[in-house]
Amino acid sequence: MSKEFEKEIAQLNKLIEQSKDFVKTEESTKMSFVLPFFKALGYNYSDPREVVAEFTADINGKNMDKIDYVIMENGQPVILVECKHWSEKLESHVKQLFKYFVSTPAKFAILTNGIEYLFYTDLEERNKLDNKPFLKIDMLDLKAHAIKELAKFKKDSFSVGEILTTAEELKYTNSIINLFTDDYQDPTDDFVKYTLSKVYEGLKTQAVVEKFRPIIKNSFSLFVNELINDRLENAIEKGQPEQEIAATTDIAEEDDIVTVPTEEELQAFYIVKGILAEIADVNLIHYKDTTSYLAILFENKATKWICRIVLKRSSKVIIFPNEIHDEKISINSINDLYKHKEVLIKSCQRFL
């Protein structure tokens, strides 16, 4: 996966975050978000040999239905793309995509609202679209592993056979990851009961389940943190370069694409830097901007983060490190950073 591709996807992430509230129609969603997505994948959406708009799907010989876009290869459709307005939920439109799929030789179909992209194929029954996508891409919540899979759809590396080879494994891998994520954040009754069946001999009443739910959640968190620390210690013992250590030990939140900070993010950095000037050399305070947050770092080391600042239109949050769960505090504006001066100083003092 090229750095140039990562950069283009990161830029599109910023564009969507900053402009989506001004995109009022489905057509403008296509123009503002979907076509730049095609461009990032290397397709010339102005060339009908590569991308055809309003492609006619011959449903029952009626030639009535039209697909928003079709990506072509050697004169044949290979990817169908159906678009909705960015605010629409996609689940209610899946049946429409199923109907299009059976009428073309395409092997992949994408349902998108310009922010979320659902990738489908026919793993379970030939020429019939699966009920569940094998890949989901959220342009406002980009993860490195998802971007790696998305890169397989780039024009210069696209291979139907290669994608199909990994699609089934990817489909179930993503489902399992989502299951683990849900139970990590909020353990279900079934997960709690299963865990208790291995460690608790008493009756698993609902009262017992409620009692152990926070204990299991904390245990899960401690387990993940210990895994991270073990990787860090092993890397140090092997003499792995510090930058590589940081990259391999970052938690899921850190597994993000580095990008260019906005003006507001830069102002937030300077506010924090000014606060920390009371106790530290300001030349040691740095930032790392990703698609999800702005990290304030000591000595420019990912393992020495002082805080993370999220400045979205929908929410603004400052995050402080904690042994078990990172502390997240909502703020109304970057000026609220001054209200948390003591916590910022305390967080920085850990590295002095």
Side-chain angles (χ1 to χ4, degrees):
M1 182 172 60
S2 70
K3 293 294 183 183
E4 185 62 30
F5 179 63
E6 290 185 8
K7 182 179 178 181
E8 286 196 55
I9 293 298
Q11 289 173 340
L12 183 52
N13 164 274
K14 289 289 186 182
L15 171 66
I16 294 171
E17 175 61 37
Q18 295 171 1
S19 64
K20 63 184 177 66
D21 291 338
F22 300 96
V23 176
K24 303 299 184 182
T25 66
E26 181 178 307
E27 194 61 31
S28 58
T29 297
K30 297 176 188 177
M31 296 298 106
S32 300
F33 301 156
V34 178
L35 293 185
F37 182 81
F38 291 160
K39 181 176 181 293
L41 290 175
Y43 293 99
N44 180 2
Y45 52 77
S46 299
D47 187 345
R49 293 170 298 179
E50 295 187 17
V51 179
V52 177
E54 295 295 310
F55 183 88
T56 300
D58 189 1
I59 307 295
N60 298 325
K62 295 181 180 180
N63 287 317
M64 296 293 290
D65 294 273
K66 292 185 181 297
I67 307 168
D68 287 323
Y69 297 103
V70 171
I71 295 177
M72 310 291 287
E73 184 180 63
N74 299 322
Q76 292 294 318
V78 289
I79 305 174
L80 312 181
V81 185
E82 184 64 17
C83 306
K84 303 300 172 186
H85 183 255
W86 69 264
S87 65
E88 287 196 43
K89 300 296 183 183
L90 295 177
E91 289 74 12
S92 60
H93 299 287
V94 175
K95 288 184 179 180
Q96 183 180 4
L97 196 62
F98 285 13
K99 183 173 64 172
Y100 295 156
F101 187 77
V102 298
S103 67
T104 76
K107 291 301 295 180
F108 303 104
I110 300 174
L111 182 60
T112 182
N113 56 15
I115 295 176
E116 187 176 21
Y117 288 79
L118 306 182
F119 290 73
Y120 294 86
T121 188
D122 56 350
L123 294 171
E124 297 176 8
E125 185 177 342
R126 187 176 177 83
N127 296 326
K128 181 180 178 181
L129 213 61
D130 296 337
N131 290 320
K132 294 183 178 181
F134 68 89
L135 177 63
K136 292 183 180 181
I137 301 291
D138 187 338
M139 293 301 296
L140 294 182
D141 186 21
L142 292 166
K143 302 297 182 184
H145 69 89
I147 301 304
K148 181 180 178 181
E149 295 301 326
L150 177 61
K152 295 178 181 178
F153 285 86
K154 289 184 62 184
K155 178 186 173 183
D156 58 9
S157 58
F158 180 77
S159 167
V160 172
E162 181 179 345
I163 296 174
L164 288 177
T165 299
T166 59
E168 183 171 15
E169 179 181 344
L170 185 64
K171 176 181 177 180
Y172 291 107
T173 296
N174 288 335
S175 296
I176 293 169
I177 289 174
N178 291 335
L179 178 65
F180 285 163
T181 300
D182 291 342
D183 279 319
Y184 178 78
Q185 295 173 345
D186 185 18
T188 62
D189 285 0
D190 287 341
F191 182 76
V192 173
K193 290 176 181 178
Y194 170 77
T195 305
L196 290 179
S197 71
K198 305 296 182 181
V199 299
Y200 180 77
E201 295 181 356
L203 291 175
K204 285 75 173 176
T205 64
Q206 191 60 36
V208 171
V209 169
E210 296 303 329
K211 174 184 175 181
F212 276 91
R213 195 190 310 277
I215 297 173
I216 290 173
K217 182 176 181 179
N218 287 340
S219 299
F220 207 160
S221 179
L222 287 170
F223 171 70
V224 172
N225 288 337
E226 286 177 4
L227 283 180
I228 295 169
N229 290 333
D230 286 344
R231 290 179 65 186
L232 177 59
E233 291 173 4
N234 290 335
I236 292 173
E237 288 175 3
K238 294 177 182 178
Q240 189 174 344
E242 191 171 271
Q243 288 184 336
E244 293 181 20
I245 292 173
T248 58
T249 56
D250 289 342
I251 59 176
E253 284 183 302
E254 194 74 29
D255 187 15
D256 228 321
I257 299 172
V258 178
T259 184
V260 179
T262 63
E263 182 64 30
E264 186 180 28
E265 287 173 329
L266 283 176
Q267 290 177 10
F269 168 66
Y270 290 125
I271 289 173
V272 174
K273 193 173 182 179
I275 291 172
L276 299 180
E278 294 184 13
I279 62 165
D281 181 350
V282 293
N283 293 318
L284 299 178
I285 309 300
H286 299 262
Y287 70 80
K288 172 186 174 183
D289 187 49
T290 76
T291 52
S292 298
Y293 56 82
L294 180 79
I296 308 299
L297 311 176
F298 188 77
E299 294 181 337
N300 205 22
K301 296 177 182 178
T303 52
K304 293 185 176 182
W305 63 282
I306 298 167
C307 69
R308 292 171 180 157
I309 302 171
V310 179
L311 298 175
K312 305 287 187 181
R313 285 184 179 272
S314 56
S315 65
K316 299 182 189 297
V317 178
I318 180 170
I319 305 169
F320 293 103
N322 192 291
E323 289 184 3
I324 298 179
H325 297 296
D326 295 335
E327 182 183 6
K328 299 182 179 180
I329 302 173
S330 296
I331 57 177
N332 294 318
S333 72
I334 57 175
N335 291 327
D336 286 351
L337 293 170
Y338 291 108
K339 298 178 182 179
H340 304 287
K341 174 180 176 180
E342 292 183 4
V343 186
L344 284 165
I345 289 176
K346 184 179 178 179
S347 183
C348 183
Q349 282 175 332
R350 295 175 300 129
F351 310 119
L352 297 179

